[in-house]
Amino acid sequence: MNFNATSGARYPAQKGSRKKRVSDTAAINAPAYPPAYPPSYPPPYNPFASAVPGTVPPNMSAYDDRNAVPPPYASSPDYSHMHANAPPMDQGYSIPGQFLNEPLVANVAMQYGQALVGSGRQLVDRELEKYIPVSRLKYYFAVDTRYVLKKLGLLFFPFVHSDWSVKYEQDGPVQPRYEINAPDLYIPTMAYVTYVLVAGVILGMQDRFTPEILGIQASSALAWTIFEIAVELITLYITNIQTNLKTLDLLAFGGYKYVGIIFALLLSILFHKTGYYAGLIYSSFSLAFFLIRTLKVQVLPDGSSPHHNDPYTHSSGNKRRMYLLLFVAGIQPLLMWWLSFHLISPPTPKS
C-alpha cells in the first residue's frame, strides 16, 4: 500500500502564507451595502414600533390595535415656581401709561411742556427780531376801520386839519387806531396791491395786458420805493439831522402816494388824460401839504437839542431841516407821475 502524504490536500500550501482566523461571527453575515443610518446616529425613536416585528409594543399591550392611541408626550417644563414669589402688579408696580395718568405727574408734565414751548418761542422771536422788527411792525398795523376812513379823508383833505401833533405814551407813541397823525403801514400796503391790480385792469382795457405785466409793475414800484427810502436815509446821514423819524416811518409816508396814484388812474378810465392829470395834480398837492405838516413836527427841533440856544447852529439846522421837508414832499409828485403816466388810457378816436 502506497502512502501519499499529500493525498488529503487539494491545493498545495504556498510557502510563506498563513491562514486567517475569523473571530467575529457577526461579520460573516454582514450585508454588502452600508446601513441606512450610521452607527453613531441611530434612527429616531418610534413609540409605535416594537422591538420584535409583528408584536404589540409593551406600553400598548392592553389596547386593541384599532383603538390604539399614542402615549402622551412629555409635558412642557413647569416654570410656575419662578413666579411664586413675584408680587402682584397692583402692589407698588405700574406701567408707564398708568404712571402718566397720575394727576400730579400730568400737571408737572404739562407745566414743563408749556415752559419749554414758551422758552422756544422767546428764542425764535429774539432771533427773528435781529433781522425783522416784528414788534415795531405790529405797531404800524394796529389800525381799525374807523382809522382807515379818517386817514383817507386826511390824505385827500389835509387843509381842514389843524392839530398835527402825535400823542405819546410812556413806552412810545400811541397806536395809529387811537392817533390819526401816527404813521401806519396798512394803508400803504393795501394801496400798493390795489395799484398793481388797477394797472392790470387798465392795461386789459387797452388790450395790452400780459401775465408778466403785473410782475413788472409790482417790481418796478417796489424798486422805486426802496430807492426813495435809501436817498432819504443818505440825506439824513449827510446833513446830520437828528430827528424822531425811523426807517419804517419814511416807508409809511412814502407809501401814501399810491393812494393818489389810484385816484388819478380811476379818473383816467372815465375822463382819459384830462381826468388823469386833474386827479394827479390835486392828489400830489394834497400829499405834499400833508407831508410837510406831518414831518414838520418830527423834523424841526422842539428845544430839547443841546445846541438849541446856539443862534448859528439853530439857524443852519433849521435850514437843513426845511430843505429835507421840501425834498421829501417834492419828490412824491415826480414818483407818482413816473409810476402811472404809461398807464393812461388814450382817447378813443372819433369815427
Side-chain angles (χ1 to χ4, degrees), residues 222-232 331 335:
L222 183 60
W224 279 106
T225 301
I226 295 175
F227 175 76
E228 174 192 356
I229 301 303
V231 171
E232 293 173 356
I331 199 176
L335 292 175

Side-chain angles (χ1 to χ4, degrees), residues 22-350:
V22 180
S23 59
D24 189 1
T25 58
I28 298 176
N29 299 324
Y33 51 86
Y37 295 92
S40 58
Y41 299 96
Y45 172 73
N46 187 1
F48 299 98
S50 60
V52 180
T55 61
V56 181
N59 55 350
M60 298 184 63
S61 58
Y63 299 94
D64 185 70
D65 292 339
R66 294 173 298 179
N67 300 325
V69 294
Y73 292 94
S75 60
S76 58
D78 186 10
Y79 297 100
S80 60
H81 63 280
M82 301 178 60
H83 304 280
N85 297 326
M89 294 296 295
D90 57 349
Q91 295 184 4
Y93 291 86
S94 60
I95 60 177
Q98 296 176 353
F99 177 75
L100 294 177
N101 289 333
E102 295 293 334
L104 180 60
V105 178
N107 293 335
V108 172
M110 184 175 61
Q111 293 178 2
Y112 179 76
Q114 292 177 353
L116 184 62
V117 172
S119 61
R121 183 177 180 180
Q122 292 178 1
L123 180 61
V124 172
D125 293 343
R126 184 166 56 253
E127 294 297 328
L128 187 62
E129 191 73 21
K130 296 180 181 179
Y131 306 98
I132 302 177
V134 179
S135 59
R136 294 182 182 179
L137 288 176
K138 292 181 180 179
Y139 165 80
Y140 290 95
F141 284 93
V143 300
D144 54 8
T145 305
R146 181 173 174 271
Y147 167 82
V148 173
L149 295 177
K150 293 181 65 175
K151 193 73 171 193
L152 291 176
L154 181 60
L155 290 174
F156 284 105
F157 306 101
F159 320 104
V160 298
H161 193 63
S162 57
D163 186 12
W164 296 90
S165 61
V166 180
K167 300 180 178 62
Y168 284 83
E169 294 178 342
Q170 296 180 356
D171 54 349
V174 181
Q175 293 181 353
R177 70 179 67 178
Y178 306 114
E179 178 56 56
I180 190 174
N181 294 324
D184 71 283
L185 287 175
Y186 177 80
I187 294 178
T189 303
M190 294 296 104
Y192 169 78
V193 176
T194 307
Y195 157 76
V196 176
L197 297 178
V198 171
V201 171
I202 293 177
L203 292 175
M205 296 174 61
Q206 302 173 8
D207 295 332
R208 295 191 297 162
F209 177 80
T210 57
E212 295 81 9
I213 198 67
L214 293 180
I216 295 175
Q217 289 294 128
S219 59
S220 177
L222 183 60
W224 279 106
T225 301
I226 295 175
F227 175 76
E228 174 192 356
I229 301 303
V231 171
E232 293 173 356
L233 291 177
I234 292 174
T235 303
L236 287 173
Y237 178 77
I238 293 176
T239 56
N240 194 21
I241 299 177
Q242 303 296 329
T243 65
N244 297 326
L245 294 175
K246 302 178 179 61
T247 304
L248 294 178
D249 294 340
L250 297 176
L251 181 63
F253 290 130
Y256 289 135
K257 62 177 171 286
Y258 292 107
V259 177
I261 294 176
I262 294 171
F263 176 70
L265 290 177
L266 293 178
L267 290 179
S268 69
I269 297 176
L270 300 176
F271 306 103
H272 305 294
K273 287 186 178 181
T274 303
Y276 167 75
Y277 283 109
L280 182 64
I281 291 173
Y282 177 81
S283 58
S284 299
F285 181 74
S286 61
L287 179 61
F289 184 85
F290 167 80
L291 290 178
I292 290 176
R293 297 300 302 269
T294 302
L295 294 177
K296 182 179 179 181
V297 181
Q298 302 287 341
V299 174
L300 293 181
D302 55 355
S304 59
S305 174
H307 302 286
H308 179 70
N309 296 326
D310 189 350
Y312 176 78
T313 303
H314 180 69
S315 177
S316 61
N318 283 344
K319 288 182 179 180
R320 286 185 279 115
R321 287 177 171 83
M322 289 301 302
Y323 293 153
L324 176 65
L325 290 177
L326 295 176
F327 170 75
V328 174
I331 199 176
Q332 301 304 320
L334 295 177
L335 292 175
M336 293 172 64
W337 172 80
W338 179 257
L339 294 174
S340 59
F341 81 97
H342 60 283
L343 301 173
I344 302 174
S345 176
T348 55
K350 296 181 180 180

